[in-house]
Amino acid sequence: MVDSVTALTIESWTLYPFGILLIAARIISRRMLLGSFSKLQVDDWIMLFVVVTFTGVIVSVNQVSHNLSNYLPDGAAEHFTPEERENAVYGSKFVMILEQFMLANTWLCKACLLFLYHQMTLGLKQNKLVKIVGGYCLFGYVLVQILYLGVWCRPIQQYWQVPVENSQCASYYHHLITSAVFNITSDLIMIYIPLHILIKARLPLKRKIVLCGVFSLGMLVILSAILNRYYNFTEPYGSLVYLNWYTGEAATSVFVANLPHLWPLLSKIFALGAFNSRRRTADDSSRDAKSSGKGFYPKGSGTHKSGRGARPYDHQHGYVQSESEERIASAGAVPGGGATWPLPDSKDGASTLELGPMDHKPMGYAATAAGGKEKTDELSTGIVKTVQIRQYSNEV
């Protein structure tokens, strides 16, 4: 039968390559979308640093499991030999290192997701909530660090002293509670943000289920965090079960933070095309050929307005900037087989999500019908709020 130390070693070093592979896949996918590594965004560079923190978690977990620590029953340290005492000091230092790597890994993954949600909600009132959650996460991380390094255990050398004078320096009880509160509450709000938009959007059921499934994976992070704390507080001295959940929580955070960015790579490998658009047909091409100029007409207009047809693809950021615009429009479909989907939470009037056909740009060009007020007798007036979104595709 495999002992707990060996089992932990196998589990941790099995999860590690999957996490690193996902990070590499994310960077490749982003390179395909943006066209150059130099155009990688802030969240991509943060995720590259997560390689360091994730590696630190895995290494530290295994060091802690192979050594003693100062988390001992009363009086146990008095019977230590000098070698055992030195080993316990060494293990206790790695417990502290593990906690620092774990905090950094968790909050950096949150930052990457918040950056994604910020781009998703540009022009929507949910964007304000994203900023509030970002501030809450920053406040939580700073407060947890202040309490951990300067309040719960003083002087700080007590964290690796054997035996300890303050039990908080060995059990981390107060620290684990405060960090769990900020971690879990922020995760719950972060799960709510994309699901609130997706559930109320008019998407085909299959796509809605897939997207909601991807963004609901954060529940696994929350479950891992809860079980991590549960086993920390309930397992007897010497148990390593909590380390399994440290590993699981860190790995799940990395998985969840990278999965939403993999579609360009997957579509290239498996020839899947754009996720949120149907494949073009000969009829689509014929209709597009009859259109004068490139891009899209404002909905219901009879002629192409130069500069208003399509938003240019932002090669610096890798998406079409999302913004809300009010325009005068008439009923009717977007030329070329586009679709208009209502979205929730408009501040004024109906809110629609308008998609048109692909503009045949290399590597995932997306365009939506642009806004702007049109003065023409041909239009039946009606206020429509359009929200632009990005659309990935490798079709050329």
Side-chain angles (χ1 to χ4, degrees):
M1 183 177 180
V2 179
D3 63 272
S4 58
V5 175
T6 303
L8 177 61
T9 302
I10 294 173
E11 176 186 338
S12 59
W13 289 111
T14 299
L15 289 173
Y16 178 74
F18 283 103
I20 298 301
L21 181 63
L22 272 179
I23 294 175
R26 173 221 179 94
I27 298 302
I28 293 172
S29 184
R30 295 286 286 165
R31 163 62 177 81
M32 292 171 61
L33 180 67
L34 301 175
S36 172
F37 286 116
S38 63
K39 295 178 181 178
L40 293 178
Q41 300 303 293
V42 174
D43 57 328
D44 301 314
W45 293 110
I46 291 175
M47 187 51 64
L48 286 175
F49 187 72
V50 169
V51 172
V52 177
T53 62
F54 186 46
T55 303
V57 169
I58 300 302
V59 172
S60 299
V61 160
N62 284 277
Q63 287 296 316
V64 171
S65 68
H66 284 82
N67 294 278
L68 299 170
S69 72
N70 57 7
Y71 185 54
L72 301 163
D74 293 338
E78 299 174 1
H79 305 287
F80 277 1
T81 64
E83 291 77 14
E84 289 174 331
R85 185 180 300 274
E86 183 178 351
N87 181 265
V89 170
Y90 177 82
S92 298
K93 289 179 179 179
F94 259 102
V95 171
M96 188 177 183
I97 293 171
L98 167 61
E99 195 62 30
Q100 284 297 321
F101 275 127
M102 189 67 186
L103 289 173
N105 189 84
T106 300
W107 261 264
L108 287 177
C109 287
K110 290 179 191 289
C112 290
L113 284 173
L114 285 170
F115 190 93
L116 171 63
Y117 296 164
H118 173 68
Q119 308 305 332
M120 287 175 58
T121 58
L122 280 174
L124 300 175
K125 73 178 185 179
Q126 285 90 344
N127 188 257
K128 183 177 181 180
L129 177 59
V130 173
K131 294 176 181 178
I132 292 173
V133 176
Y136 178 71
C137 288
L138 179 61
F139 170 76
Y141 179 77
V142 172
L143 180 61
V144 166
Q145 288 284 19
I146 290 174
L147 294 174
Y148 177 50
L149 300 176
V151 176
W152 302 136
C153 178
R154 299 191 65 184
I156 196 171
Q157 292 84 355
Q158 281 279 317
Y159 275 121
W160 58 83
Q161 182 172 312
V162 180
V164 295
E165 298 174 5
N166 179 357
S167 63
Q168 291 298 323
C169 301
S171 68
Y172 288 39
Y173 186 80
H174 291 163
H175 164 71
L176 293 176
I177 292 176
T178 53
S179 62
V181 168
F182 283 104
N183 182 21
I184 294 172
T185 53
S186 59
D187 278 349
L188 286 171
I189 304 174
M190 288 172 63
I191 291 174
Y192 165 81
I193 293 171
L195 292 184
H196 178 69
I197 298 174
L198 291 170
I199 290 174
K200 292 189 176 182
R202 262 197 205 162
L203 286 168
L205 181 61
K206 183 178 179 180
R207 294 175 186 173
K208 182 180 291 191
I209 291 173
V210 171
L211 288 172
C212 289
V214 170
F215 288 108
S216 296
L217 291 175
M219 292 301 299
L220 296 178
V221 181
I222 294 175
L223 178 62
S224 298
I226 293 173
L227 292 173
N228 181 348
R229 296 304 185 255
Y230 172 78
Y231 287 112
N232 256 294
F233 299 149
T234 60
E235 287 295 300
Y237 293 102
S239 173
L240 300 179
V241 175
Y242 79 98
L243 292 176
N244 293 87
W245 288 105
Y246 262 80
T247 303
E249 182 182 352
T252 307
S253 297
V254 172
F255 298 165
V256 171
N258 286 285
L259 284 174
H261 292 278
L262 299 187
W263 185 257
L265 178 61
L266 295 176
S267 65
K268 180 71 174 179
I269 294 173
F270 300 106
L272 300 175
F275 179 77
N276 56 348
S277 68
R278 62 181 177 85
R279 289 192 176 276
R280 294 174 60 82
T281 64
D283 290 340
D284 292 331
S285 300
S286 176
R287 281 193 296 267
D288 292 344
K290 296 177 182 178
S291 302
S292 59
K294 295 175 64 176
F296 298 83
Y297 302 132
K299 183 177 175 182
S301 65
T303 58
H304 174 66
K305 303 294 183 181
S306 176
R308 297 189 181 187
R311 291 278 179 187
Y313 180 72
D314 189 337
H315 287 285
Q316 179 183 0
H317 297 87
Y319 54 86
V320 175
Q321 295 257 355
S322 170
E323 69 181 272
S324 296
E325 302 176 59
E326 284 190 357
R327 62 184 175 84
I328 305 298
S330 65
V334 177
T340 302
W341 300 333
L343 275 181
D345 300 320
S346 173
K347 293 179 181 177
D348 48 326
S351 206
T352 64
L353 183 66
E354 196 169 79
L355 293 180
M358 299 300 294
D359 197 20
H360 291 286
K361 297 287 184 183
M363 293 316 308
Y365 183 88
T368 54
K373 293 186 178 181
E374 299 291 338
K375 296 181 179 180
T376 172
D377 295 333
E378 298 177 4
L379 300 179
S380 301
T381 59
I383 300 296
V384 176
K385 167 99 53 182
T386 65
V387 178
Q388 298 176 350
I389 67 168
R390 64 175 177 232
Q391 178 171 325
Y392 298 136
S393 175
N394 65 338
E395 296 182 77
V396 295

